[in-house]
Amino acid sequence: MDVNAAVAAAAAIAGVLTGVIAMLAFRWSERDQKRPTRTSLHTDPVLPPGVDTVLSVLRSSAVVLDEADTVVKASSAAYALGLVRGGKLAIEPMLGMARDTRRDGEIRQVELDLPRRGTGRGEALAVSARVAPLGSRLVLLLVEDLTEARRIEAVRRDFVANVSHELKTPVGALSLLSEAVMDASDDPEAVQRFAGRMQIEATRLTNLVQELIDLSRVQNDDPLEDAEPVRVDELVAEAIDRCRHQAGTKQITMAAGGTADLHVWGNRGQLAAALGNLVENAVNYSPARTRVGIAARRINATGGDMIELAVTDQGIGITDKDKERIFERFYRVDPARSRATGGTGLGLAIVKHVVASHGGEVTVWSAEGQGSTFTLRLPEAGAARDRASQHPDPDLEDEAGTESSPYEPLPAPEVLP
């Protein structure tokens, strides 16, 4: 009996010892798991509270790097720009900035040109990169795309330079001519001759200023705010009346034809100016005793019928190289001829903006020595309002304007009385 009791007591003691040892081992293992290791410091970084939320609403591309230059957090814009690939920062200059900032805590900023992904034309993205420390172990990289801002700035700079040059020419001529008039005060014939030249230069200056005002207006105003149904035949008649004197001087036949009783929806004044500019160019660049035709018709198109207005001349034509740039502001196919005819180089730029703001397009067909056909395509009244509201801003398009495309001439127009 005593032996059995002794065995039972020994077994109980052994069980208690086993339980104590198991509990101690469990506690020791748990403490080891909670202790940070070198590996965990690099593979499981934690962003400071609120940083993730702030980065998600930033417009700039954001990348957070840890001590091993591994990407902890990156916005979708950063992936779209090609900044992050395979969990690493792919732009070496930015990576060097991040390492320097991690070392000394200094905030750094630089502007870089990055190759554009998916193109083989050497185009570059202009970006501004800013690197700052984020806590004690992380580095924050913010990248802003400056490409569009630089393009707009270049367009603005070129525009200002061109305006300055164009204004300087007639103003300088007026200054010289006024001095000549003063010096020739005792010569009535010379005074009359110089005064005539002054009148020509003053007219050119007035036209330039007016076209600058018109261009500014069509770029800034919404033509659909004062839109109304506009009869196409009235626009054609107004354009012909505007150029009837110049055409008569050169014995150029003005003709109109096509489908009657067509309507477009838009700003009557802007549409009349656009069509008038095309007809005026056709007359100015056509030889004497030739023909300028204006034809209108309805064509079927996806999203609704379009009204097509074509202005055809038998002039000098346009080269393929020039066709890519004729819708640029101040660009002239023949600068000497343009100045002789009073052209400012703004007419086609105004046409492009008017048509685009009305939800349409303008194209050109031309061959050297065979003439040109400029075609306006505008939505027919009814569906025009919806189409125009969905059309992109013409200022964000390529500055060269609409690409040229072959055009089958319309049937021969009838001569107006």
Side-chain angles (χ1 to χ4, degrees):
M1 193 70 172
D2 293 337
V3 174
N4 291 335
V7 172
I13 294 171
V16 171
L17 291 173
T18 301
V20 171
I21 293 172
M23 183 179 64
L24 292 174
F26 176 78
R27 292 288 181 85
W28 185 268
S29 174
E30 190 179 43
R31 188 174 64 178
D32 283 347
Q33 289 178 0
K34 291 183 178 180
R35 182 182 301 164
T37 62
R38 182 181 299 271
T39 304
S40 67
L41 286 174
H42 294 291
T43 61
D44 189 24
V46 179
L47 291 176
V51 172
D52 196 6
T53 303
V54 173
L55 295 182
S56 65
V57 298
L58 286 177
R59 297 181 61 183
S60 303
S61 303
V63 181
V64 179
L65 303 175
D66 63 9
E67 293 175 324
D69 292 332
T70 302
V71 175
V72 176
K73 174 75 177 179
S75 64
S76 57
Y79 286 99
L81 284 178
L83 304 180
V84 178
R85 298 172 193 168
K88 294 288 186 180
L89 186 61
I91 310 301
E92 190 61 35
M94 296 182 186
L95 187 58
M97 290 172 57
R99 290 169 178 167
D100 293 340
T101 296
R102 187 185 300 112
R103 184 180 63 252
D104 56 24
E106 295 274 341
I107 297 176
R108 290 175 168 81
Q109 184 170 352
V110 68
E111 292 189 1
L112 301 169
D113 291 330
L114 306 180
R116 190 186 296 270
R117 298 182 65 187
T119 63
R121 294 178 294 174
E123 298 180 355
L125 288 171
V127 300
S128 174
R130 185 179 179 87
V131 180
L134 185 63
S136 59
R137 298 185 292 110
L138 304 178
V139 173
L140 172 63
L141 171 67
L142 296 176
V143 179
E144 184 176 358
D145 188 355
L146 303 178
T147 307
E148 185 64 17
R150 283 193 180 181
R151 189 189 74 82
I152 293 175
E153 175 62 22
V155 171
R156 186 197 64 79
R157 188 169 54 249
D158 291 344
F159 180 73
V160 172
N162 287 328
V163 168
S164 302
H165 175 74
E166 295 297 331
L167 289 174
K168 184 178 179 180
T169 301
V171 169
L174 286 173
S175 177
L176 291 175
L177 288 168
S178 65
E179 292 179 6
V181 169
M182 293 178 63
D183 293 339
S185 57
D186 55 348
D187 186 350
E189 275 188 35
V191 169
Q192 186 175 6
R193 184 172 67 254
F194 292 143
R197 288 297 307 168
M198 290 178 68
Q199 187 174 13
I200 293 174
E201 295 299 333
T203 301
R204 178 179 300 171
L205 183 60
T206 301
N207 292 339
L208 176 58
V209 172
Q210 183 59 51
E211 291 204 345
L212 285 172
I213 294 172
D214 293 340
L215 180 60
S216 176
R217 183 178 295 119
V218 300
Q219 287 178 326
N220 297 326
D221 293 348
D222 182 1
L224 300 185
E225 288 183 357
D226 302 318
E228 59 179 340
V230 180
R231 289 179 58 90
V232 172
D233 54 358
E234 292 180 359
L235 294 177
V236 173
E238 187 174 335
I240 290 177
D241 287 340
R242 170 178 169 177
C243 303
R244 193 179 298 277
H245 176 70
Q246 296 97 307
T249 302
K250 299 174 67 174
Q251 299 180 4
I252 292 176
T253 302
M254 302 282 288
T259 307
D261 198 26
L262 298 176
H263 293 77
V264 293
W265 183 273
N267 184 294
R268 178 185 177 85
Q270 291 190 13
L271 292 173
L275 183 59
N277 283 344
L278 291 182
V279 176
E280 187 174 11
N281 280 352
V283 172
N284 288 337
Y285 285 91
S286 293
R289 294 179 294 280
T290 55
R291 173 183 172 124
V292 171
I294 311 171
R297 66 179 179 180
R298 180 187 293 109
I299 60 173
N300 296 324
T302 303
D305 290 344
M306 303 285 286
I307 302 301
E308 189 173 80
L309 279 161
V311 179
T312 304
D313 64 56
Q314 298 173 314
I316 59 176
I318 306 170
T319 65
D320 291 338
K321 177 189 70 174
D322 289 324
K323 278 190 290 187
E324 297 177 358
R325 300 190 59 190
I326 55 175
F327 293 100
E328 293 181 23
R329 303 169 193 138
F330 297 108
Y331 186 80
R332 297 183 176 93
V333 175
D334 186 347
R337 187 186 183 97
S338 294
R339 289 192 171 89
T341 59
T344 62
L346 289 174
L348 291 180
I350 292 174
V351 172
K352 183 190 76 168
H353 282 280
V354 168
V355 175
S357 63
H358 282 75
E361 64 174 348
V362 55
T363 57
V364 57
W365 173 90
S366 184
E368 289 187 82
Q370 300 181 29
S372 305
T373 297
F374 285 84
T375 304
L376 306 181
R377 293 186 181 93
L378 296 164
E380 189 173 16
R385 205 176 293 182
D386 295 336
R387 184 185 296 270
S389 64
Q390 298 172 359
H391 196 279
D393 186 347
D395 279 333
L396 299 181
E397 296 176 356
D398 190 306
E399 192 60 21
T402 309
E403 293 182 0
S404 58
S405 60
Y407 173 75
E408 184 68 24
L410 296 172
E414 300 175 359
V415 179
L416 289 179

